[in-house]
Amino acid sequence: MNTTPTTPSLHIATWNVNSLNVRLPQVLQWLAENPVDVLCLQELKLVDEKFPHAELAAIGYAAQAFGQKTYNGVAILSRLPLHDTMRNIPGFADEQARVISATVDARTQGEIRIINGYFVNGQEPGSDKFQYKMQWLEHLHALVHEQLRLHPRLVLLGDFNITPDDRDTWDPVGLKDTIHHTVEERAAFQSLQALGLHDAFRLFPQAEKSFSWWDYRMLGFQKNRGLRIDHILVSNALQASVTQCSIDRAPRKYPKPSDHAPVIVTLG
DNA sequence: ATGCCTTGCTTAGCAAGA
């Protein structure tokens, strides 16, 4: 008889909900059907006073939130204990709520440091917003570098607003050098990987034209004109334990959907 | 295509997203 206790697998997901106020029923429904251990959200578009802690607690999730009025906002929802929450990037003054980090106590699986980011969009290469994007990416790189030193078991995930390469866009020719496709953004993505992080989605064979975001306009989803810009990067120490990574397109078919779909990674 | 949706803010069109 095998008496060795089986280590339960751990599921961590990311989802840009484009307003938690509008999408809360969908988040609750999705969690009921996909009871992941940790769900990281972006684009809450609400202040912390309006964060729906009670509704999430009712289905077993505690949350650490970092919101602001109208724009941005990030949160970590977890069924496992969270501690050592950090907001934004220390040393980088930023009016915008874009990063929340916390340590998840995964019990038999040990502790995992989570960095959840809503990366800057950048609007257009050469614009002020693009400059802000590149500066923000530089400071995020420094933060991840430091956090990896303190926490070798680390996951960096969220809405990166970067297509890592031409496989990650529906139109690599027509969209060449446009926002999310520039050499500079892709170099920043690669320099994050160079810290010892791995794109979990690419650790496995995947269907061609796999995307995580589709424009609301022009029947983007129906025509699968999308981008893969939502990512889960795992550190060297975690890479061997990753057994699956997938994009769940189902919520993009809900009535009044977010324009992003959740991405889920399985560890162990 | 300076367009197409969606959301928030405020209540009539903007700003911003990607």
Coordinates of all heavy atoms in Angstrom, one line a residue, chain A residues 19 23 43 69-70 118 121 161 180 213 218 256, chain B residues 3-10 15-18:
Chain A
S19 N -12.7 46.3 -15.4 CA -13.7 46.7 -14.4 C -14.2 45.5 -13.6 O -15.1 44.8 -14.0 CB -14.9 47.4 -15.1 OG -15.9 47.6 -14.1
R23 N -17.5 43.1 -13.8 CA -17.2 41.7 -14.1 C -17.3 40.8 -12.8 O -17.1 39.6 -13.0 CB -15.8 41.6 -14.7 CG -15.8 40.8 -16.0 CD -16.5 41.4 -17.1 NE -15.9 42.6 -17.6 CZ -16.4 43.5 -18.4 NH1 -17.5 43.2 -19.0 NH2 -15.7 44.6 -18.8
E43 N -6.9 45.7 -13.9 CA -7.9 46.7 -14.4 C -9.2 46.6 -13.5 O -10.3 46.5 -14.1 CB -8.2 46.6 -15.9 CG -7.2 47.3 -16.7 CD -7.7 47.8 -18.0 OE1 -8.2 49.0 -18.1 OE2 -7.7 47.1 -19.1
K69 N -9.2 55.2 -8.5 CA -10.4 55.6 -9.2 C -10.2 55.4 -10.7 O -9.2 55.8 -11.2 CB -10.8 57.0 -8.8 CG -12.1 57.5 -9.2 CD -12.3 58.9 -8.7 CE -13.5 59.6 -9.4 NZ -13.7 61.0 -9.0
T70 N -11.2 54.9 -11.4 CA -11.4 54.9 -12.9 C -10.4 54.0 -13.6 O -10.9 53.4 -14.6 CB -11.2 56.4 -13.4 OG1 -12.0 57.3 -12.6 CG2 -11.6 56.4 -14.9
Y118 N -0.1 45.0 -13.9 CA -0.8 45.6 -15.0 C 0.1 46.5 -15.8 O 0.3 47.7 -15.4 CB -2.1 46.3 -14.6 CG -2.8 47.0 -15.7 CD1 -3.1 46.3 -16.9 CD2 -3.3 48.3 -15.6 CE1 -3.7 47.0 -18.0 CE2 -3.9 48.9 -16.7 CZ -4.1 48.3 -17.8 OH -4.8 48.9 -18.9
N121 N 0.2 50.3 -21.0 CA -0.1 50.1 -22.4 C 0.9 50.7 -23.4 O 1.4 50.1 -24.3 CB -1.6 50.6 -22.6 CG -2.1 50.5 -24.1 OD1 -1.4 50.9 -25.0 ND2 -3.2 49.9 -24.2
N161 N 0.9 43.6 -21.7 CA 0.8 44.5 -22.9 C 2.0 44.4 -23.8 O 2.4 45.4 -24.4 CB 0.5 45.9 -22.4 CG -0.9 46.2 -22.2 OD1 -1.8 45.7 -22.9 ND2 -1.2 46.9 -21.1
H180 N 2.8 47.1 -28.6 CA 2.8 45.7 -28.2 C 3.7 44.8 -29.0 O 3.9 43.6 -28.7 CB 1.4 45.1 -28.1 CG 0.4 45.9 -27.3 ND1 -0.8 46.4 -27.9 CD2 0.4 46.3 -26.1 CE1 -1.4 47.1 -27.0 NE2 -0.7 47.0 -25.9
W213 N -6.2 38.1 -25.6 CA -7.0 39.4 -25.8 C -7.4 39.5 -27.2 O -6.7 39.2 -28.2 CB -6.1 40.6 -25.4 CG -6.7 41.9 -25.7 CD1 -7.6 42.6 -24.9 CD2 -6.7 42.6 -27.0 NE1 -8.0 43.7 -25.6 CE2 -7.5 43.8 -26.9 CE3 -6.0 42.4 -28.2 CZ2 -7.6 44.7 -27.9 CZ3 -6.1 43.3 -29.2 CH2 -6.9 44.4 -29.1
M218 N -14.9 45.2 -34.5 CA -14.5 44.5 -35.7 C -14.6 42.9 -35.6 O -13.9 42.2 -36.2 CB -13.1 44.8 -36.2 CG -13.0 46.3 -36.6 SD -13.6 46.7 -38.1 CE -12.4 46.0 -39.2
K256 N -21.4 40.4 -22.3 CA -20.7 41.5 -21.7 C -19.3 41.0 -21.2 O -19.0 41.2 -20.0 CB -21.5 42.2 -20.6 CG -22.8 42.7 -21.1 CD -22.9 44.2 -21.3 CE -22.4 45.1 -20.2 NZ -22.3 46.5 -20.7
Chain B
dG3 P -10.5 57.3 -34.2 OP1 -11.0 57.8 -32.9 OP2 -9.4 56.3 -34.2 O5' -11.7 56.7 -35.0 C5' -12.8 57.6 -35.3 C4' -13.9 56.7 -35.9 O4' -13.5 56.4 -37.3 C3' -14.0 55.3 -35.2 O3' -14.7 55.4 -34.0 C2' -14.6 54.5 -36.4 C1' -13.9 55.0 -37.6 N9 -12.6 54.2 -37.8 C8 -11.4 54.6 -37.4 N7 -10.5 53.7 -37.8 C5 -11.2 52.7 -38.5 C6 -10.8 51.5 -39.1 O6 -9.7 51.1 -39.2 N1 -11.9 50.8 -39.7 C2 -13.2 51.3 -39.6 N2 -14.1 50.5 -40.2 N3 -13.6 52.4 -39.0 C4 -12.5 53.1 -38.5
dC4 P -16.1 55.0 -33.6 OP1 -16.9 55.8 -34.5 OP2 -16.2 55.0 -32.2 O5' -16.2 53.5 -34.1 C5' -17.3 53.1 -34.9 C4' -17.2 51.7 -35.4 O4' -15.9 51.5 -36.0 C3' -17.2 50.7 -34.2 O3' -18.0 49.5 -34.6 C2' -15.8 50.3 -34.0 C1' -15.3 50.3 -35.4 N1 -13.8 50.5 -35.6 C2 -13.1 49.6 -36.5 O2 -13.8 48.7 -37.0 N3 -11.8 49.7 -36.6 C4 -11.2 50.7 -35.9 N4 -9.8 50.8 -36.1 C5 -11.8 51.6 -35.1 C6 -13.1 51.5 -34.9
dC5 P -18.8 48.7 -33.6 OP1 -18.7 47.3 -33.9 OP2 -20.1 49.4 -33.6 O5' -18.1 49.0 -32.2 C5' -18.9 48.8 -31.1 C4' -18.2 47.8 -30.1 O4' -16.8 48.1 -30.0 C3' -18.8 47.9 -28.7 O3' -18.7 46.6 -28.1 C2' -17.9 48.9 -28.1 C1' -16.6 48.7 -28.7 N1 -15.8 49.9 -28.9 C2 -14.7 50.1 -28.2 O2 -14.4 49.3 -27.3 N3 -13.9 51.2 -28.3 C4 -14.3 52.1 -29.3 N4 -13.5 53.2 -29.4 C5 -15.4 51.9 -30.1 C6 -16.2 50.8 -29.9
dT6 P -19.5 46.2 -26.9 OP1 -19.6 44.7 -26.7 OP2 -20.8 47.0 -27.0 O5' -18.7 46.9 -25.6 C5' -17.7 46.2 -25.0 C4' -17.1 47.0 -24.0 O4' -16.5 48.2 -24.6 C3' -18.1 47.6 -22.9 O3' -17.8 46.9 -21.7 C2' -17.8 49.1 -22.9 C1' -16.5 49.2 -23.6 N1 -16.2 50.5 -24.4 C2 -15.1 51.2 -24.1 O2 -14.3 50.8 -23.3 N3 -14.9 52.3 -24.9 C4 -15.8 52.8 -25.8 O4 -15.5 53.8 -26.4 C5 -17.0 52.0 -26.1 C7 -18.0 52.4 -27.1 C6 -17.1 50.9 -25.3
dT7 P -18.7 47.2 -20.5 OP1 -18.6 45.9 -19.6 OP2 -20.0 47.7 -20.9 O5' -17.9 48.3 -19.7 C5' -16.6 48.1 -19.2 C4' -16.1 49.4 -18.6 O4' -15.8 50.3 -19.7 C3' -17.0 50.1 -17.7 O3' -16.5 50.0 -16.4 C2' -17.0 51.6 -18.2 C1' -15.9 51.6 -19.3 N1 -16.2 52.4 -20.4 C2 -15.3 53.4 -20.8 O2 -14.3 53.6 -20.2 N3 -15.7 54.1 -21.9 C4 -16.8 54.0 -22.6 O4 -17.0 54.7 -23.6 C5 -17.7 53.0 -22.2 C7 -19.0 52.8 -23.0 C6 -17.4 52.2 -21.1
dG8 P -17.3 50.7 -15.2 OP1 -16.9 50.0 -13.9 OP2 -18.7 50.8 -15.5 O5' -16.7 52.1 -15.1 C5' -15.2 52.3 -15.0 C4' -14.9 53.7 -14.9 O4' -15.1 54.3 -16.2 C3' -15.8 54.6 -13.9 O3' -14.9 55.5 -13.2 C2' -16.8 55.3 -14.8 C1' -15.9 55.5 -16.1 N9 -16.7 55.6 -17.3 C8 -17.8 54.8 -17.7 N7 -18.2 55.1 -18.9 C5 -17.4 56.1 -19.3 C6 -17.4 56.9 -20.5 O6 -18.2 56.8 -21.5 N1 -16.4 57.9 -20.5 C2 -15.5 58.1 -19.5 N2 -14.6 59.0 -19.7 N3 -15.5 57.4 -18.4 C4 -16.4 56.4 -18.4
dC9 P -15.5 56.3 -12.0 OP1 -14.4 56.5 -11.1 OP2 -16.8 55.7 -11.5 O5' -15.8 57.7 -12.7 C5' -14.8 58.5 -13.2 C4' -15.3 59.7 -13.9 O4' -15.9 59.3 -15.1 C3' -16.4 60.5 -13.1 O3' -16.1 61.9 -13.2 C2' -17.7 60.1 -13.8 C1' -17.1 60.0 -15.2 N1 -18.0 59.3 -16.1 C2 -18.1 59.7 -17.5 O2 -17.4 60.7 -17.8 N3 -19.0 59.1 -18.3 C4 -19.7 58.1 -17.9 N4 -20.5 57.5 -18.8 C5 -19.6 57.6 -16.6 C6 -18.8 58.2 -15.7
dT10 P -16.8 62.9 -12.2 OP1 -15.9 64.1 -12.1 OP2 -17.3 62.2 -11.0 O5' -18.1 63.3 -13.0 C5' -18.0 64.1 -14.2 C4' -19.2 63.8 -15.1 O4' -19.6 62.4 -15.1 C3' -20.4 64.7 -14.8 O3' -20.8 65.3 -16.0 C2' -21.5 63.6 -14.4 C1' -21.0 62.4 -15.1 N1 -21.5 61.1 -14.6 C2 -22.2 60.3 -15.5 O2 -22.5 60.6 -16.6 N3 -22.5 59.0 -14.9 C4 -22.2 58.5 -13.7 O4 -22.5 57.4 -13.3 C5 -21.4 59.4 -12.9 C7 -21.0 59.0 -11.5 C6 -21.1 60.7 -13.4
dA15 P -10.5 64.3 -24.6 OP1 -9.8 65.5 -24.1 OP2 -10.3 63.9 -26.0 O5' -10.1 63.1 -23.7 C5' -10.1 63.2 -22.3 C4' -9.7 61.9 -21.7 O4' -10.8 61.0 -21.8 C3' -8.5 61.3 -22.2 O3' -7.7 60.8 -21.1 C2' -9.1 60.1 -23.1 C1' -10.3 59.7 -22.3 N9 -11.4 59.2 -23.1 C8 -11.9 59.6 -24.3 N7 -12.9 58.9 -24.7 C5 -13.2 58.0 -23.7 C6 -14.1 56.9 -23.6 N6 -15.0 56.7 -24.5 N1 -14.1 56.2 -22.4 C2 -13.1 56.5 -21.5 N3 -12.2 57.4 -21.6 C4 -12.3 58.1 -22.7
dA16 P -6.2 60.3 -21.4 OP1 -5.5 60.6 -20.1 OP2 -5.7 60.8 -22.7 O5' -6.4 58.8 -21.5 C5' -6.8 58.0 -20.4 C4' -7.1 56.6 -20.8 O4' -8.3 56.6 -21.6 C3' -6.1 56.0 -21.7 O3' -5.4 55.0 -20.9 C2' -6.8 55.4 -22.9 C1' -8.3 55.5 -22.4 N9 -9.3 55.6 -23.5 C8 -9.3 56.5 -24.5 N7 -10.3 56.4 -25.3 C5 -11.0 55.4 -24.8 C6 -12.3 54.8 -25.1 N6 -13.0 55.1 -26.2 N1 -12.7 53.8 -24.3 C2 -12.0 53.4 -23.3 N3 -10.9 53.9 -22.8 C4 -10.4 54.9 -23.6
dG17 P -4.2 54.1 -21.4 OP1 -3.4 53.8 -20.3 OP2 -3.6 54.7 -22.7 O5' -5.0 52.8 -21.8 C5' -5.8 52.1 -20.8 C4' -6.7 51.1 -21.5 O4' -7.6 51.7 -22.4 C3' -5.9 50.1 -22.4 O3' -6.3 48.8 -22.1 C2' -6.4 50.5 -23.8 C1' -7.8 51.0 -23.5 N9 -8.3 51.7 -24.6 C8 -7.8 52.9 -25.2 N7 -8.5 53.3 -26.2 C5 -9.6 52.5 -26.2 C6 -10.8 52.5 -27.0 O6 -11.0 53.3 -27.9 N1 -11.6 51.4 -26.7 C2 -11.4 50.5 -25.8 N2 -12.3 49.6 -25.6 N3 -10.4 50.5 -25.0 C4 -9.5 51.5 -25.3
dA18 P -5.2 47.6 -21.9 OP1 -5.7 46.5 -21.1 OP2 -3.9 48.2 -21.6 O5' -5.0 47.1 -23.5 C5' -6.0 46.3 -24.0 C4' -5.8 46.1 -25.5 O4' -6.0 47.3 -26.2 C3' -4.3 45.7 -25.8 O3' -4.4 44.7 -26.9 C2' -3.6 46.9 -26.3 C1' -4.8 47.6 -27.0 N9 -4.7 49.1 -27.1 C8 -4.2 50.0 -26.2 N7 -4.3 51.2 -26.6 C5 -4.9 51.1 -27.8 C6 -5.4 52.1 -28.7 N6 -5.2 53.4 -28.5 N1 -6.0 51.7 -29.8 C2 -6.2 50.4 -30.0 N3 -5.9 49.4 -29.2 C4 -5.2 49.8 -28.1

